[in-house]
């Protein structure tokens, strides 16, 4: 059983650092507008590429630039600029679906990964794209049995990419699922002239809908009003079967998610993948990981089509079902490196000893821990309130761009 590469999402530097700190093997990210999260997250800029590459290379983490939207003629010059800069910055690979992007990436001798948008479902398609790409994301609608057949045939027939290595297969492992086949949806375009395939999905499938008889006007009562909002994919409870299917890369969805989401999910899957390798993967661990995953943003979990289900499972409400949420407390002020103490200004809610706190920032990432000690206005106290200056012992640097939160229980409707 080969070691699985854990691939993390990064919508900004906070999430990028959270991924690096929690054991990601690779990260994927978008720049400007030509990616599938052009509207949903704060994307990086062209000037960020060098810093992304440097931070990741320092931890031996691979970097993948997503250029997987529909491309028009007026986009081609932008694509060339992005790919050229990615090559100069030593970004590892480009994730693409449009043949023009694939050709431009090959022109600049950039490694290419095939996006799920191409919807690869069979071995012959793998063979075709092996002329251009070393890694391919299979369609989300395949079962693990179908995935395993493809990976076994790649090995048997020695299907290799441009690098001369056997083609690597990637699948989605965790996160939001689209109602459409492998994400190719036109609902947002139809309703709002805002194309999901250009990274500008309005997510109107996540809303409540009623069914109306056009002749009588009678509305039909539905068991679940959220009939187009699937639960989130989760594979951690059958990750042993995923590994047995021969996949090389497990992709975590979530470029629009907060850094604490990235930190928590990557940490759980890192532990799970490592436990498979050392033979300690167990039901008890799965229960613990599932409890942690439920703490951050989710719409409920299901196993996708990997285990052979014929129908999807739909969310029963809008928004997140997370069992915890963060509450903004204040911002970073100063760090005293010799004493290893961070200073914060409380701008909102109270904070007390025993609280679970979260500190986020572009360089800090997402650090979560229990508050065991603090000074309030230079005096030992158990509680700080709005307007107070507090200091906390920390083994990492605090910056003015850092934000302080506390984690509280979140009441979720059944």
């Amino acid at each position: 059983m080969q070691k699985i590469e854990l691939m993390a999402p990064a919508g900004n530097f906070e999430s990028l650092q959270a991924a690096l700190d929690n054991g990601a093997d690779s990260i994927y990210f978008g720049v400007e507008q030509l990616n599938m999260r052009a509207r949903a997250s704060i994307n990086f800029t062209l000037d960020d590429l060098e810093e992304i590459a440097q931070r990741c290379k320092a931890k031996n983490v691979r970097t993948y630039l997503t250029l997987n939207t529909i491309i028009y003629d007026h986009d081609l010059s932008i694509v060339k600029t992005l790919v050229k800069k990615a090559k100069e910055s030593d970004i590892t690979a480009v994730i693409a679906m449009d043949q023009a992007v694939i050709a431009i990436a090959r022109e600049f001798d950039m490694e290419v990964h095939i996006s799920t948008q191409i919807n690869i479902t069979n071995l012959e398609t793998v063979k075709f794209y092996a002329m251009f790409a070393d890694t391919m994301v299979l369609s989300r609608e395949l079962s693990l049995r179908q995935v395993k057949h493809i990976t076994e045939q790649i090995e048997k027939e020695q299907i290799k990419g441009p690098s001369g290595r056997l083609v690597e297969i990637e699948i989605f492992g965790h996160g939001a699922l689209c109602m459409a086949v492998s994400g190719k949806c036109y609902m947002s375009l139809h309703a709002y002239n805002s194309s999901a395939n250009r990274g500008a999905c309005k997510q109107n499938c996540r809303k409540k809908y009623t069914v109306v008889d056009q002749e009588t006007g009678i509305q039909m009562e539905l068991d679940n009003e959220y009939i187009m909002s699937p639960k989130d994919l989760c594979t951690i409870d059958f990750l042993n079967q995923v590994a047995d299917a021969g996949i090389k890369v497990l992709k975590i969805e979530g470029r629009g998610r907060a850094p604490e989401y990235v930190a928590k999910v990557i940490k759980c899957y890192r532990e799970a993948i490592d436990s498979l390798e050392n033979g300690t993967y167990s039901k008890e661990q799965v229960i613990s990981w599932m409890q942690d995953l439920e703490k951050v943003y989710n719409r409920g979990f299901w196993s996708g089509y990997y285990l052979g289900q014929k129908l999807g499972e739909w969310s029963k409400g809008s928004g997140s079902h997370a069992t915890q949420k963060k509450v903004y407390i204040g911002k970073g002020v100063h760090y005293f490196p010799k004493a290893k103490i961070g200073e914060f200004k409380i701008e909102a809610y109270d904070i007390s000893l025993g609280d679970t706190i979260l500190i986020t920032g572009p360089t800090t990432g997402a650090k979560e821990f229990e508050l065991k000690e603090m000074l309030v206005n230079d005096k030992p106290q158990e509680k700080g309130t709005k307007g107070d200056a507090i200091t906390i012992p920390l083994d990492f640097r605090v910056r003015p761009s850092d934000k302080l939160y506390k984690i509280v229980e979140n009441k979720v409707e059944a």
Side-chain angles (χ1 to χ4, degrees):
M1 188 179 295
Q2 62 181 338
K3 183 70 176 285
I4 297 173
E5 175 184 320
L6 179 57
M7 182 178 173
N12 52 40
F13 277 115
E14 291 178 325
S15 294
L16 171 66
Q17 193 60 46
L20 296 178
D21 290 342
N22 286 277
D25 296 308
S26 58
I27 63 104
Y28 67 103
F29 62 96
V31 170
E32 311 293 354
Q33 296 300 307
L34 298 181
N35 69 91
M36 294 302 288
R37 294 295 181 272
R39 185 185 294 267
S41 61
I42 303 171
N43 285 292
F44 294 102
T45 67
L46 197 64
D47 294 334
D48 292 328
L49 286 174
E50 289 185 8
E51 184 176 349
I52 292 169
Q54 288 171 2
R55 284 203 201 184
C56 292
K57 281 197 293 183
K59 292 205 171 185
N60 197 31
V61 170
R62 290 163 63 85
T63 47
Y64 307 139
L65 170 64
T66 58
L67 281 170
N68 56 342
T69 61
I70 289 174
I71 301 295
Y72 297 131
D73 280 325
H74 66 261
D75 297 321
L76 293 176
S77 61
I78 301 174
V79 172
K80 289 183 179 180
T81 299
L82 285 172
V83 174
K84 182 174 183 292
K85 182 65 174 179
K87 179 66 175 180
E88 292 171 349
S89 302
D90 205 17
I91 297 299
T92 307
V94 170
I95 301 174
M97 64 87 68
D98 192 291
Q99 284 75 15
V101 178
I102 294 171
I104 291 169
R106 300 295 299 144
E107 178 186 336
F108 285 95
D109 196 29
M110 282 287 293
E111 182 179 327
V112 174
H113 294 186
I114 298 299
S115 170
T116 190
Q117 303 301 116
I118 283 183
N119 200 29
I120 295 176
T121 57
N122 60 74
L123 188 67
E124 291 303 315
T125 306
V126 170
K127 289 180 181 178
F128 175 81
Y129 283 106
M131 293 187 288
F132 314 102
D134 291 292
T135 302
M136 303 178 197
V137 188
L138 296 184
S139 168
R140 300 179 196 179
E141 289 70 41
L142 293 182
S143 68
L144 287 181
R145 183 178 179 181
Q146 291 171 308
V147 172
K148 185 173 183 177
H149 172 74
I150 290 173
T151 60
E152 288 178 341
Q153 291 304 116
I154 289 173
E155 177 73 33
K156 182 179 179 180
E157 299 185 27
Q158 290 291 292
I159 302 170
K160 298 179 180 180
S163 68
R165 303 188 305 270
L166 289 178
V167 167
E168 297 177 346
I169 293 301
E170 173 187 324
I171 66 170
F172 278 79
H174 190 92
L177 286 173
C178 180
M179 60 165 284
V181 174
S182 281
K184 285 193 173 174
C185 182
Y186 297 90
M187 192 172 180
S188 178
L189 179 67
H190 175 75
Y192 299 106
N193 195 30
S194 186
S195 176
N197 303 303
R198 294 275 290 174
C201 181
K202 292 283 191 178
Q203 295 199 343
N204 39 327
C205 60
R206 303 294 186 186
K207 299 178 180 179
K208 290 183 179 181
Y209 286 90
T210 56
V211 178
V212 180
D213 185 324
Q214 291 293 322
E215 292 184 2
T216 64
I218 296 174
Q219 294 185 359
M220 293 180 65
E221 183 178 343
L222 303 173
D223 289 336
N224 177 24
E225 295 167 314
Y226 296 90
I227 58 173
M228 292 183 288
S229 182
K231 292 180 179 179
D232 288 358
L233 174 65
C234 179
T235 62
I236 206 164
D237 57 337
F238 58 96
L239 199 61
N240 53 338
Q241 297 179 60
V242 171
D244 183 62
I247 65 110
K248 174 61 178 176
V249 185
L250 190 74
K251 181 176 186 177
I252 307 300
E253 192 276 338
R255 277 185 290 146
R257 299 280 173 254
E260 65 271 16
Y261 174 93
V262 176
K264 186 77 71 178
V265 175
I266 294 302
K267 182 177 184 292
C268 288
Y269 276 88
R270 174 78 280 150
E271 291 176 1
I273 290 171
D274 290 347
S275 73
L276 284 175
E277 187 177 33
N278 60 35
T280 60
Y281 181 84
S282 66
K283 290 182 179 179
E284 292 75 21
Q285 285 181 305
V286 167
I287 292 171
S288 177
W289 291 323
M290 289 297 294
Q291 289 173 344
D292 278 344
L293 292 172
E294 288 170 353
K295 292 176 181 178
V296 291
Y297 193 102
N298 71 85
R299 296 185 178 91
F301 296 126
W302 75 301
S303 57
Y305 296 95
Y306 291 139
L307 301 182
Q309 284 94 334
K310 294 181 179 179
L311 297 175
E313 293 186 17
W314 309 103
S315 178
K316 297 184 183 298
S318 62
S320 177
H321 295 187
T323 59
Q324 293 183 343
K325 64 180 179 180
K326 64 183 181 182
V327 176
Y328 178 72
I329 300 297
K331 62 183 180 182
V333 176
H334 187 68
Y335 186 71
F336 302 92
K338 289 185 179 180
K340 292 187 176 181
I341 290 175
E343 181 182 352
F344 295 86
K345 182 73 172 180
I346 299 182
E347 297 182 329
Y349 293 95
D350 298 343
I351 188 171
S352 303
L353 295 182
D355 285 342
T356 298
I357 64 173
L358 170 72
I359 300 172
T360 68
T363 307
T364 303
K367 301 288 197 301
E368 183 180 320
F369 55 93
E370 182 183 342
L371 181 60
K372 296 181 178 180
E373 182 183 352
M374 72 172 168
L375 296 180
V376 179
N377 301 322
D378 295 325
K379 295 180 181 179
Q381 292 189 34
E382 293 189 359
K383 184 177 182 180
T385 60
K386 184 176 179 180
D388 287 340
I390 65 170
T391 51
I392 304 170
L394 297 172
D395 59 1
F396 58 89
R397 182 176 292 274
V398 171
R399 298 165 178 83
S401 56
D402 287 357
K403 295 178 181 178
L404 173 66
Y405 303 88
K406 69 176 176 181
I407 304 297
V408 299
E409 296 304 306
N410 187 33
K411 293 182 180 180
V412 182
E413 294 182 5

